[in-house]
Amino acid sequence: MTKVVAFNGSPRKNGNTSILIEHMLEELRKEGIETEEIYLSGRVARGCTACMKCFEKKDGHCIFDDDCVNKCIDKMVEADGIILGSPVYFTDVTAEMKALIDRAGLVSMANGGLYRRKVAQAAVAVRRAGTFHTLDTLLHFLLIGGMTVPGFPVVGVGKEIGEVLKDEEGLMRAKDAGKNMAWLLKTLEQAKNS
């Protein structure tokens, strides 16, 4: 069965980032695609130390196994699609999301591109400034990893929890992103089976 895993970098479990991701996942589930959302808050303990042990070991994992990064890497490898979502923190992604990107990205490079040809998308919840920088951070990880991003990424505007629900265009884009991902995933599955 086709599966998409979403990584939520927000410390607010039911916040605006979660709302955007859920609108995307809802469209995927409508098409029979299995989904999972993983919250990074409180789980990712450290950033990359550039020790380069992943290039020595080449086992698809980071040498540091005392937090959730290796489990997240395994989820990415197993999934057909990946969603990264983050609120804007000082005009960029949260520290948890950055730690995942840096470590998972280096492990992927050390192992020949673990996420190549997966279908991917990014979602950003923003109050005002930092939208494009945050999108760049998320999209750079996806594109450097050789993933395909169908359509424009998701941006939702809102400060307080639930405020993004007033952003009709943001919600519409989230649904559209989910539909685009579902279409591409199903098209690739049909091509693989023919």
Side-chain angles (χ1 to χ4, degrees):
M1 177 179 231
T2 305
K3 182 173 182 178
V4 171
V5 62
F7 296 91
N8 187 336
S10 176
R12 295 176 168 176
K13 188 150 184 158
N14 297 307
N16 293 322
T17 305
S18 205
I19 291 167
L20 294 172
I21 289 172
E22 180 53 34
H23 276 71
M24 297 167 75
L25 296 180
E26 182 182 323
E27 296 302 321
L28 290 158
R29 288 191 294 266
K30 284 180 187 176
E31 295 296 324
I33 296 168
E34 185 183 342
T35 66
E36 180 180 6
E37 184 175 3
I38 296 170
Y39 291 88
L40 301 178
S41 182
R43 299 179 71 190
V44 176
R46 71 176 80 217
C48 182
T49 64
C51 69
M52 308 309 270
K53 294 291 184 189
C54 52
F55 281 87
E56 290 176 28
K57 293 179 68 176
K58 295 188 183 300
D59 64 355
H61 288 105
C62 178
I63 190 84
F64 297 108
D65 200 25
D66 58 351
D67 58 24
C68 76
V69 170
N70 284 330
K71 289 182 181 79
C72 290
I73 290 170
D74 290 342
K75 294 275 187 184
M76 287 184 197
V77 170
E78 293 165 7
D80 304 287
I82 297 169
I83 296 171
L84 298 183
S86 180
V88 175
Y89 272 36
F90 282 86
T91 71
D92 209 340
V93 296
T94 60
E96 294 86 355
M97 180 59 73
K98 186 66 170 122
L100 176 65
I101 284 172
D102 288 350
R103 288 172 61 199
L106 198 59
V107 167
S108 175
M109 290 172 65
N111 290 274
L114 297 175
Y115 322 122
R116 256 190 267 167
R117 297 180 188 90
K118 293 185 184 289
V119 176
Q121 192 50 274
V124 172
V126 61
R127 182 186 70 83
R128 188 172 309 276
T131 307
F132 295 110
H133 187 83
T134 305
L135 277 176
D136 280 348
T137 298
L138 298 173
L139 289 172
H140 285 147
F141 170 78
L142 301 176
L143 297 173
I144 288 169
M147 293 175 252
T148 300
V149 179
F152 196 77
V154 177
V155 174
V157 179
K159 179 182 178 185
E160 302 303 323
I161 292 176
E163 197 173 336
V164 76
L165 290 167
K166 297 175 187 171
D167 181 5
E168 292 179 23
E169 184 178 350
L171 297 178
M172 179 200 68
R173 289 200 180 272
K175 288 179 183 243
D176 193 47
K179 289 175 185 174
N180 286 341
M181 285 187 79
W183 176 83
L184 184 53
L185 285 162
K186 290 181 95 172
T187 300
L188 291 171
E189 185 66 27
Q190 288 170 356
K192 191 166 62 174
N193 293 332
S194 63

